[in-house]
Amino acid sequence: MTMDSTVLSTATTDDRACYPLDPLSGAEIEAAAAVVKESEYTTPTLRFVMIQLAEPDKNSELTFESMSDVPRRAFITMYDAPAKMIYEAVVDIGARVIESWTPVPGRFPSYLVEHMTGVEEVVRADPRWQEAMRKRGVTDFGLAMIDPWPAGYYGAQDHYDSSALICRPLTFMRAAPSEHGYARPVEGLIVTVDLDQMKVIDVEDHGVVPLPPKAGNYSAQFMFDEDNRPAFTQFRDDVKTIEITQPDGPSFTVDGWKVQWQKWSLRVGFNPREGLTLHEITYNDRGTVRPIMYRAALSEMVVPYGDTSPTHWNKNVFDMGEVGMGFSANPLTLGCDCLGEIYYFDGTVHDSSGNAVTIPNAICMHEEDYGISWKHTDFRTEEVEVRRSRRLVISMICTVGNYEYGFFWYLYNDASIEMEVKLSGVLTTGSIPEGETPRWGKLVAPGIYGPNHQHFFNFRLDMSIDGPNNSVYEVDSVVEPEPELNPHHNAWIAKDTLVASEAEGARDWNWSTGRYWKVTNPSKKNELGAAVGYKLMPRDPVPVMVQEGSYIYDRARFVQHNLWVTKYDPEEKFAAGNYMYQCAEAQGLPQFVADDAPLENTDVVLWYTVGAHHIVCPEDWPVMPCHYTGFKMKPIGFFDGNPALDLPPSAPKCCHSNRM
């Protein structure tokens, strides 16, 4: 950890006047919960699943800057286990009134806090599980590490009509307290836990596989493994200090949750399900504030596994919809997770009783140098002009079981926007007998393999290119279609195809045509007479290995296309639907496009899916170096020239090895 970083400030959610899009404060969360608990609807067994801001309806101005009387409302999801019923409520916090109360039959909720913490204790006490562990030579059950994996879907027995709310935890064995437990997966042992009653209802044992022989430790606490062999012998001694300093302070300003940086303005948000959200993203173009995106956030993610063995085939976790990315957010550490002049936002969530819980430093914001923005050397005059690029970084890192997911939004001073997902953490592992080779994965250490799997992240981008009415075009580079216009066989054109309605809204990337998509405002023209716009640029698209006929195919239908385009509907927020836990039906985007709403010159939403294709290797073990994926949005005719032309030149600097 370096000590040259600086905390500029930390925003809490209880010390400022509220803007209508600001996240609920801890006091507001508890006040909303109290209204429910004091109402006629409450029961002794009612538990709070998610309490978050009920965002006010989008207006034609795309901002609430001139509105001071918007009521603060909470949207609350609750679960009553004996009734096996989800309830949704909207609470006016100031008036202390329940405005709506809606039962949601036939669906299961995401995890409650006690589900994550109580499953391990319940499983460890079960005699059937203990007997299975004894068969594997384990007698110290206290060293077992039991991960409460969401149930996935095995078949009709898991459906709402015939099942309780369940999970299927997996077992790993530590050799010592605090050791790397994922190095010793207990293969073939599957437990089913009734989360409504917190009891084990089934234990499947598909046969004993020896525990892997080698530790997988990666911290200095375990410099040597159990055979006194070095995991690593010492830290590198040739890593010199890097100092990130801004003697004049950062270029951004913060007012509550509003951020202004150079010509950008936006609002940061946070809630238990999505975690980090961005709102009202605008750019000041020579004195004119121009909207670009109204709202941007992760909409859903899923991790389908490609291993058909009993312990792994049904690992298909929706980490956001089944667990909650806000609940999973890390308290970030200065100098480790974030480096430089740092501004932190706390995240506020809650427990199942409605008590507020603060995650300190859940969101990190800072600036980064990003190399050259633009440069040209006039070789005739030897005049050189060069400007350095800089970006504003707004990030959140979430831990869901074994994996870490970092979500990094970048705003650049050339008016580009980028989302980068960083994947790290520990592989979920399987054991395999010595001498065997896994068919659906790769060995990472003796007796340990990582199953083939993929990660898909869908981002909902509520567009507002210079206003609320936009159109979407698919752009392909193709060989000149008229032979007489291509006598030298070198010509090619960019072909625009309008995405005219939702029936045409599911689109796929095409490598052979360099395909991208652009969002334009038909009513706003640049100085060349073209509609202003932004283009969405794919980054490292991956093939989708989820196959029709599998349960996950319908549950995660959003992964079947890189891009979906829909007409704005405030009820359509999540790519796989509101409640996908133990549900086999296709929800979300397939339903959203079913009415085939027209998309030309209207309020459009982009749903873009990025993926990570993971065939593991030994270098991913025992902890995985970051893998990067994401997408970028770049202005295309939005400006009348290079928006970074006015960047000031940098003063020449000297360094230790080359004094100027």
Side-chain angles (χ1 to χ4, degrees):
M1 177 175 178
T2 61
M3 299 305 293
D4 52 88
S5 299
T6 303
V7 176
L8 299 170
S9 183
T10 299
T12 67
T13 54
D14 290 308
D15 59 2
R16 73 318 179 245
C18 290
Y19 185 79
L21 294 178
D22 286 352
L24 295 182
S25 68
E28 288 176 319
I29 287 172
E30 293 183 350
V35 170
V36 171
K37 288 189 282 190
E38 295 165 5
S39 75
E40 62 186 294
Y41 299 109
T42 192
T43 70
T45 52
L46 192 68
R47 296 291 179 265
F48 294 96
V49 181
M50 296 210 179
I51 306 174
Q52 60 196 63
L53 178 71
E55 295 180 16
D57 291 342
K58 180 165 55 171
N59 58 61
S60 60
E61 300 298 317
L62 302 176
T63 183
F64 296 92
E65 288 289 352
S66 62
M67 303 178 188
S68 59
D69 57 349
V70 179
R72 296 283 287 174
R73 295 183 173 92
F75 177 74
I76 307 178
T77 307
M78 295 149 286
Y79 181 61
D80 194 332
K84 206 158 75 167
M85 182 66 72
I86 291 174
Y87 298 98
E88 294 177 346
V90 175
V91 173
D92 184 321
I93 299 170
R96 297 188 63 83
V97 170
I98 297 177
E99 294 187 342
S100 66
W101 183 272
T102 308
V104 184
R107 292 290 184 264
F108 284 111
S110 55
Y111 275 162
L112 301 174
V113 174
E114 56 261 36
H115 295 158
M116 298 296 291
T117 58
V119 166
E120 189 165 62
E121 180 180 346
V122 168
V123 172
R124 189 178 284 116
D126 185 79
R128 292 164 293 179
W129 176 87
Q130 292 180 354
E131 180 58 28
M133 296 301 288
R134 290 189 187 96
K135 290 180 181 178
R136 291 160 171 81
V138 174
T139 56
D140 187 350
F141 304 137
L143 292 175
M145 190 176 79
I146 301 160
D147 277 6
W149 276 68
Y153 191 81
Y154 271 24
Q157 72 275 10
D158 290 346
H159 197 267
Y160 171 85
D161 296 330
S162 56
S163 175
L165 176 63
I166 60 174
C167 76
R168 291 191 169 95
L170 301 176
T171 303
F172 305 84
M173 280 304 304
R174 290 185 167 107
S178 300
E179 199 205 34
H180 185 12
Y182 295 108
R184 293 186 175 86
V186 178
E187 191 68 32
L189 182 60
I190 305 167
V191 182
T192 302
V193 174
D194 180 339
L195 296 173
D196 289 338
Q197 301 187 49
M198 288 303 287
K199 69 176 185 180
V200 175
I201 56 177
D202 189 36
V203 175
E204 301 175 41
D205 192 343
H206 295 270
V208 174
V209 177
L211 295 174
K214 189 176 179 180
N217 298 312
Y218 52 85
S219 69
Q221 178 184 1
F222 293 98
M223 193 75 79
F224 293 86
D225 65 20
E226 70 275 14
D227 296 322
N228 205 37
R229 294 172 300 196
F232 60 94
T233 55
Q234 64 181 31
F235 290 111
R236 303 180 191 190
D237 59 6
D238 56 352
V239 180
K240 305 302 183 183
T241 299
I242 292 180
E243 294 185 357
I244 309 298
T245 61
Q246 293 182 267
D248 298 326
S251 304
F252 57 76
T253 60
V254 183
D255 180 10
W257 293 85
K258 182 178 181 178
V259 175
Q260 291 182 288
W261 178 70
Q262 297 188 21
K263 299 183 177 185
W264 289 101
S265 176
L266 72 153
R267 290 189 172 273
V268 178
F270 184 87
N271 64 67
R273 180 163 181 160
E274 298 164 294
L276 171 62
T277 59
L278 303 182
H279 308 258
E280 295 187 5
I281 303 172
T282 66
Y283 193 88
N284 189 319
D285 179 18
R286 295 168 293 185
T288 300
V289 176
R290 304 177 68 184
I292 297 172
M293 270 197 286
Y294 181 75
R295 193 180 194 275
L298 178 70
S299 162
E300 190 52 84
M301 62 169 292
V302 67
V303 190
Y305 279 74
D307 184 338
T308 197
S309 58
T311 321
H312 307 286
W313 75 269
N314 205 48
K315 289 178 176 176
N316 301 298
V317 182
F318 296 82
D319 287 320
M320 190 180 114
E322 294 181 330
V323 180
M325 301 314 291
F327 285 126
S328 306
N330 289 186
L332 300 175
T333 304
L334 182 66
C336 297
D337 297 301
C338 305
L339 191 62
E341 300 286 319
I342 306 300
Y343 190 97
Y344 286 117
F345 297 88
D346 290 346
T348 305
V349 292
H350 56 87
D351 62 22
S352 63
S353 297
N355 301 306
V357 177
T358 298
I359 302 173
N361 302 353
I363 298 169
C364 171
M365 184 171 68
H366 66 287
E367 294 176 273
E368 290 180 347
D369 178 90
Y370 198 65
I372 295 173
S373 176
W374 58 267
K375 178 176 182 175
H376 183 62
T377 299
D378 187 327
F379 71 89
R380 293 176 178 85
T381 64
E382 297 185 354
E383 292 181 355
V384 180
E385 291 285 349
V386 60
R387 301 293 188 271
R388 294 201 64 78
S389 177
R390 190 180 296 188
R391 64 187 185 184
L392 181 69
V393 185
I394 305 173
S395 64
M396 168 186 74
I397 300 175
C398 303
T399 299
V400 188
N402 52 299
Y403 257 105
E404 264 71 29
Y405 299 105
F407 300 97
F408 288 71
W409 288 101
Y410 302 127
L411 301 180
Y412 292 86
N413 45 26
D414 67 355
S416 298
I417 303 171
E418 184 176 12
M419 157 47 63
E420 184 172 66
V421 183
K422 301 181 182 182
L423 298 86
S424 188
V426 179
L427 305 171
T428 183
T429 51
S431 298
I432 191 168
E434 186 176 356
E436 291 190 15
T437 301
R439 182 173 180 83
W440 303 291
K442 297 294 182 182
L443 289 170
V444 295
I448 310 173
Y449 80 99
N452 297 336
H453 63 284
Q454 297 182 297
H455 303 255
F456 292 102
F457 308 84
N458 182 273
F459 292 88
R460 180 180 181 273
L461 310 173
D462 186 349
M463 304 304 299
S464 57
I465 302 297
D466 254 350
N469 292 334
N470 294 170
S471 297
V472 179
Y473 291 86
E474 187 168 82
V475 183
D476 292 296
S477 296
V478 298
V479 171
E480 169 57 60
E482 301 295 336
E484 64 274 14
L485 299 179
N486 192 17
H488 307 294
H489 305 285
N490 69 317
W492 53 276
I493 64 173
K495 178 184 176 183
D496 290 4
T497 302
L498 175 68
V499 182
S501 73
E502 289 182 335
E504 304 169 5
R507 314 303 298 180
D508 295 312
W509 185 70
N510 187 344
W511 175 86
S512 67
T513 63
R515 178 172 291 171
Y516 63 86
W517 297 274
K518 67 178 180 180
V519 185
T520 68
N521 187 325
S523 64
K524 300 292 180 68
K525 309 292 184 180
N526 58 31
E527 68 177 3
L528 303 176
V532 300
Y534 262 71
K535 66 178 179 180
L536 192 157
M537 303 163 61
R539 171 179 170 180
D540 301 329
V542 302
V544 177
M545 306 307 293
V546 172
Q547 300 155 42
E548 191 169 3
S550 65
Y551 289 122
I552 193 59
Y553 180 87
D554 278 331
R555 298 183 70 220
R557 189 72 67 86
F558 71 88
V559 308
Q560 298 303 322
H561 300 283
N562 300 103
L563 177 74
W564 301 68
V565 187
T566 65
K567 186 175 181 178
Y568 171 78
D569 184 330
E571 300 301 315
E572 297 175 354
K573 295 180 180 178
F574 307 116
N578 294 342
Y579 306 103
M580 74 290 300
Y581 201 104
Q582 286 175 234
C583 183
E585 302 96 277
Q587 301 182 70
L589 282 166
Q591 296 174 328
F592 301 164
V593 301
D595 60 353
D596 193 22
L599 295 176
E600 187 175 9
N601 197 17
T602 190
D603 196 349
V604 299
V605 177
L606 303 185
W607 309 72
Y608 187 66
T609 300
V610 300
H613 188 75
H614 203 174
I615 302 171
V616 308
C617 60
E619 289 81 359
D620 291 329
W621 186 256
V623 64
M624 188 174 75
C626 273
H627 174 88
Y628 302 86
T629 187
F631 64 91
K632 193 167 188 177
M633 300 198 72
K634 184 176 180 179
I636 179 170
F638 191 78
F639 301 99
D640 292 331
N642 181 353
L645 200 63
D646 59 352
L647 289 175
S650 303
K653 299 289 185 181
C654 64
C655 65
H656 289 286
S657 60
N658 187 13
R659 300 281 181 181
M660 295 186 65

